[in-house]
Amino acid sequence: DIKILRDIPTKFIFLLVKFVVFQMKRHFLRYISQENADNEMWLDYNGQPLKWHYPIGFLYDLFCGHDPQLPWTLTVHFTKFPEDIILHCPNKDIVEAHYMSTVKEADVLKHRGQVMSTMQKKDHNQLWLGLQNDKFDQFWAINRRLMESHSDNDGFKHIPVRIYSDDGACNQRLVSPKNSDGSRKVLQQMITELYPDKPDVKLRTHGITLPTDTPLQWLSEHMSYPDNFLHLCLC
């Protein structure tokens, strides 16, 4: 096991854990025995394995949001893979398939899947490669189409949002960006709907405790991760 002590580079905040693992593995091979060199590498924070399909910035919010600390200390492992917690991911093709599946799910929620279904394969490739290679303009040229409203009511059909408790349990429900009277729904109204017994719940993303009067449509357009989901932590 190897400790990592470092600040989090800005470009990594939005990436999935597995991106960083693939980039780091070659560096750490010099420190491990040859018999473990082909083993799948994984990371943990304070004994908690980090799931590779989550954005790094979200995981930092989840585990360090109550007590932010930099550099973030992680441990690298090449043995004792926690199969009951983390799915195996031997190559980047699996990461790409998972990412594209999540983007398509978000598009179904927002646009009934109409945006992704009209894109060509080259558009999907550009979206993926722009993210993988940290080329924002390349990525945003495609992703901006997923962030636009395509209906007369000036809003998404539903908001792609996942809310996580401290233990990592995920709560995902159908959430409309509008109230029954057509007014824009704000964060506090969503909290009241999802947590009627906890009206004082606060939510955090990107290191920010969100104002409860923030419109959900605005949050989805401006605070979603590259997978097009809002990843919010209870706090």
Side-chain angles (χ1 to χ4, degrees):
D1 296 346
I2 306 164
K3 291 286 186 181
I4 308 173
L5 286 168
R6 61 175 299 167
D7 290 339
I8 308 173
T10 302
K11 76 171 190 175
F12 285 163
I13 295 297
F14 300 104
L15 295 182
L16 304 178
V17 170
K18 203 63 180 183
F19 277 141
V20 180
V21 168
F22 285 135
Q23 294 180 38
M24 291 166 50
K25 184 172 182 178
R26 180 176 297 180
H27 170 78
F28 285 107
L29 286 177
R30 73 186 74 172
Y31 301 109
I32 64 172
S33 63
Q34 188 61 38
E35 63 182 294
N36 293 324
D38 292 331
N39 291 354
E40 188 169 352
M41 176 178 148
W42 58 282
L43 307 175
D44 86 49
Y45 171 69
N46 278 357
Q48 179 65 48
L50 301 185
K51 296 181 179 180
W52 61 261
H53 56 288
Y54 285 161
I56 293 175
F58 155 71
L59 288 170
Y60 184 79
D61 275 342
L62 183 65
F63 294 120
C64 299
H66 295 292
D67 182 24
Q69 49 186 282
L70 288 175
W72 193 19
T73 304
L74 304 178
T75 303
V76 177
H77 300 268
F78 284 85
T79 59
K80 300 179 181 178
F81 191 92
E83 296 182 340
D84 57 331
I85 300 175
I86 304 177
L87 298 174
H88 281 287
C89 182
N91 57 62
K92 291 183 179 180
D93 290 342
I94 294 176
V95 183
E96 179 182 3
H98 171 79
Y99 170 73
M100 296 305 299
S101 176
T102 306
V103 172
K104 289 177 181 178
E105 179 184 352
D107 185 44
V108 168
L109 290 170
K110 291 192 289 187
H111 309 115
R112 299 185 177 89
Q114 296 173 357
V115 179
M116 289 295 287
S117 63
T118 59
M119 288 184 184
Q120 299 180 21
K121 177 63 175 176
K122 65 180 181 65
D123 297 322
H124 292 183
N125 290 340
Q126 180 174 334
L127 184 71
W128 167 249
L129 292 174
L131 175 64
Q132 178 179 263
N133 299 324
D134 190 33
K135 302 293 185 182
F136 176 78
D137 290 342
Q138 179 182 350
F139 167 80
W140 187 248
I142 304 300
N143 195 66
R144 66 187 299 272
R145 292 153 60 181
L146 294 162
M147 288 297 168
E148 296 172 347
S149 177
H150 295 272
S151 60
D152 295 335
N153 63 1
D154 190 31
F156 299 147
K157 177 67 175 175
H158 295 100
I159 301 296
V161 57
R162 293 171 177 167
I163 303 175
Y164 304 81
S165 55
D166 288 342
D167 61 2
C170 176
N171 182 4
Q172 182 175 342
R173 309 273 188 88
L174 277 180
V175 176
S176 172
K178 293 200 172 187
N179 296 304
S180 57
D181 62 1
S183 60
R184 289 205 166 190
K185 186 178 295 183
V186 299
L187 191 63
Q188 183 60 59
Q189 291 169 320
M190 182 187 75
I191 291 172
T192 301
E193 290 178 1
L194 300 183
Y195 303 97
D197 299 328
K198 301 177 180 179
D200 296 329
V201 160
K202 302 295 183 184
L203 295 171
R204 178 177 53 249
T205 189
H206 301 293
I208 302 168
T209 299
L210 297 170
T212 56
D213 61 350
T214 308
L216 297 183
Q217 180 70 31
W218 186 92
L219 277 177
S220 187
E221 291 176 1
H222 298 283
M223 302 291 280
S224 292
Y225 276 89
D227 62 6
N228 279 243
F229 269 83
L230 285 168
H231 293 274
L232 308 179
C233 300
L234 291 172
C235 58

